[in-house]
């Protein structure tokens, strides 16, 4: 297995979000990620002695920028982290896609055909949310919530019926969703200094945007540096951060416009999001815009925007 450590990367064309850059690619990323890991687990791992291997999958689902983090910690735990400013109830399914591909990436394909049990690093799934919608401080999304209801004729097998009644499913993924908005006062912000400073910085960005302050990103960077939030990081990477924020908020605006259009058409948020995810995957596999439009009922313009 490759023992690659987290190292800074350059010339990424600003495809990262600020969150991902902080915890996956910046020169302080390993230290930041270990701090986050310790806050999540109540541990005291040392960044100097802990092996952390990036196992991210680039451009798997999102087309505009990489916004997921996947780290293999000491070869035993795969921690998948997604940062979002909009709630997506399909995260368990997406995490299922991620972890399957990651296992393919980090394991020897020959071993799965051998007689001996092939040991796998245990996965953990997290979403860090800091959008405007009111959302609990912490909750769990489960893959089983998406399973279709079965009628009694399909449940003649007593064992299957008992399992389903007891909420034990043959396939399950649980994703912990953590609200890191400052006003939610999630305890994790007290235990991870860098995450708290990031949340304070984004709070300043949102305040500037909401109050239509000119050059909101530039001023947020100056204000946060002055207040001691991400000071070193923002001073080192001021221009990169501005470009990453532009990309992030551009993307968020696109999604919001698409959702509003969907609501006008009478679609629920879940139905529309499912169509968007289907369109993204079809684009990934090279299907034509016309074919995708027929399958999803999305307009040609909507699909071209996804491109």
């Amino acid at each position: 297995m490759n023992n690659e450590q987290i190292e800074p990367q350059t010339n990424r064309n600003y495809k990262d979000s600020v969150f991902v850059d902080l915890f996956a690619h910046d020169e302080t990323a390993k230290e930041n990620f270990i701090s986050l890991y310790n806050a999540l687990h109540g541990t005291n791992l040392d960044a100097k002695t802990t092996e952390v291997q990036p196992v991210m999958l680039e451009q798997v689902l999102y087309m505009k920028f990489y916004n997921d983090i996947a780290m293999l910690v000491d070869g035993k735990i795969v921690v998948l982290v997604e940062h979002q400013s909009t709630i997506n109830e399909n995260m368990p399914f997406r995490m299922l896609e991620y972890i399957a591909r990651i296992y393919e990436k980090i394991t020897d394909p020959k071993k799965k055909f051998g007689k001996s049990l092939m040991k796998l690093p245990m996965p953990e799934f997290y979403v860090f949310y800091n959008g405007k919608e009111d959302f609990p401080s912490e909750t769990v999304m489960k893959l089983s919530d998406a399973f279709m209801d079965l009628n009694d004729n399909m449940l003649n097998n007593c064992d299957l019926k008992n399992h389903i009644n007891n909420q034990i499913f043959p396939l399950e993924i649980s994703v912990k969703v953590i609200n890191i908005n400052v006003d939610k006062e999630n305890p994790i912000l007290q235990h991870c200094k860098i995450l708290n400073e990031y949340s304070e910085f984004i709070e300043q960005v949102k305040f500037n945007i909401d109050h239509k302050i000119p050059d909101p990103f530039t001023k947020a960077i100056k204000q946060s540096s002055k207040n001691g939030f991400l000071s070193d990081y923002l001073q080192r990477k001021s221009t990169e951060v501005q470009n990453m924020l532009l990309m992030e908020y551009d993307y968020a605006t696109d999604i919001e416009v698409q959702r509003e259009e969907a609501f006008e058409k009478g679609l629920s948020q879940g139905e529309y999001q499912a169509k968007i995810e289907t369109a993204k995957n079809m684009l990934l596999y090279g299907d034509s815009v016309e074919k995708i439009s027929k399958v999803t009922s999305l307009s040609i313009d909507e699909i071209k925007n996804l491109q």
Side-chain angles (χ1 to χ4, degrees):
M1 191 181 297
N2 184 358
N3 289 329
E4 175 190 359
Q5 299 293 311
I6 299 180
E7 295 180 354
Q9 297 184 25
T10 57
N11 194 27
R12 295 183 59 82
N13 297 319
Y14 310 117
K15 291 183 179 178
D16 284 326
S17 67
V18 175
F19 181 90
V20 172
D21 189 54
L22 268 173
F23 291 98
H25 297 124
D26 184 62
E27 62 186 45
T28 62
K30 183 178 181 183
E31 182 181 341
N32 295 340
F33 178 79
I34 291 296
S35 174
L36 180 62
Y37 181 94
N38 285 334
L40 289 168
H41 297 84
T43 52
N44 291 293
L45 297 185
D46 188 336
K48 294 180 180 178
T49 58
T50 304
E51 179 187 339
V52 179
Q53 178 189 349
V55 289
M56 278 85 79
L57 299 170
E58 297 182 343
Q59 289 184 316
V60 173
L61 295 178
Y62 278 103
M63 301 299 176
K64 284 202 171 186
F65 56 89
Y66 314 157
N67 73 332
D68 65 313
I69 299 171
M71 298 292 180
L72 180 61
V73 181
D74 278 341
K76 295 181 179 180
I77 297 179
V78 178
V79 181
L80 285 86
V81 177
E82 192 89 2
H83 170 259
Q84 294 185 335
S85 58
T86 54
I87 299 299
N88 185 330
E89 296 181 3
N90 296 306
M91 283 313 305
F93 178 62
R94 284 174 50 186
M95 290 293 193
L96 173 63
E97 292 184 300
Y98 283 145
I99 193 60
R101 287 166 178 155
I102 287 171
Y103 280 150
E104 287 179 352
K105 180 178 180 179
I106 65 177
T107 58
D108 182 347
K110 295 180 182 178
K111 286 188 177 181
K112 63 185 175 184
F113 298 106
K115 290 184 178 180
S116 301
L117 179 65
M118 182 175 68
K119 295 291 187 178
L120 299 172
M122 184 178 71
E124 294 182 346
F125 308 100
Y126 300 94
V127 169
F128 288 91
Y129 168 74
N130 69 343
K132 294 182 179 180
E133 295 177 57
D134 188 32
F135 201 71
S137 176
E138 195 166 302
T139 189
V140 175
M141 292 182 179
K142 293 188 175 183
L143 181 64
S144 58
D145 292 337
F147 295 159
M148 298 178 183
D149 293 331
L150 303 179
N151 58 44
D152 290 338
N153 293 332
M154 296 178 175
L155 295 174
N156 288 329
N157 184 310
C158 291
D159 289 337
L160 178 60
K161 184 181 291 186
N162 288 335
H163 278 312
I164 291 177
N165 289 338
N166 293 315
Q167 299 295 294
I168 302 172
F169 298 92
L171 179 64
E172 183 65 285
I173 281 184
S174 297
V175 180
K176 182 176 285 189
V177 184
I178 300 172
N179 191 330
I180 58 171
N181 279 297
V182 174
D183 63 334
K184 288 297 180 179
E185 299 182 341
N186 194 296
I188 195 171
L189 297 180
Q190 299 174 15
H191 300 298
C192 183
K193 181 174 181 288
I194 192 69
L195 184 63
N196 182 63
E197 290 185 11
Y198 167 78
S199 295
E200 291 283 2
F201 169 58
I202 294 301
E203 191 69 20
Q204 186 65 64
V205 170
K206 290 190 289 189
F207 177 88
N208 290 358
I209 291 174
D210 291 344
H211 290 78
K212 295 181 171 53
I213 293 175
D215 298 323
F217 302 146
T218 303
K219 290 183 178 175
I221 290 171
K222 290 180 179 178
Q223 290 161 329
S224 293
S225 295
K226 182 179 178 181
N227 293 331
F229 301 130
L230 303 181
S231 297
D232 175 68
Y233 174 77
L234 294 174
Q235 288 170 14
R236 283 190 291 109
K237 306 182 83 168
S238 175
T239 301
E240 291 94 331
V241 169
Q242 289 183 58
N243 280 281
M244 286 187 282
L245 288 171
L246 271 170
M247 180 74 77
E248 286 185 74
Y249 281 87
D250 230 15
Y251 177 80
T253 301
D254 285 348
I255 290 296
E256 190 61 35
V257 168
Q258 291 171 10
R259 282 182 171 171
E260 287 175 2
E261 290 174 350
F263 296 153
E264 288 175 4
K265 295 176 183 176
L267 290 173
S268 72
Q269 179 176 342
E271 289 173 327
Y272 184 68
Q273 188 62 44
K275 289 176 181 288
I276 291 292
E277 295 299 331
T278 299
K280 285 180 182 176
N281 285 320
M282 292 180 73
L283 284 169
L284 183 66
Y285 288 104
D287 289 314
S288 69
V289 171
E290 290 75 16
K291 179 180 177 181
I292 297 171
S293 180
K294 288 180 181 179
V295 170
T296 63
S297 300
L298 295 174
S299 70
I300 298 294
D301 287 341
E302 286 174 303
I303 298 165
K304 285 183 177 179
N305 284 337
L306 289 176
Q307 283 183 310

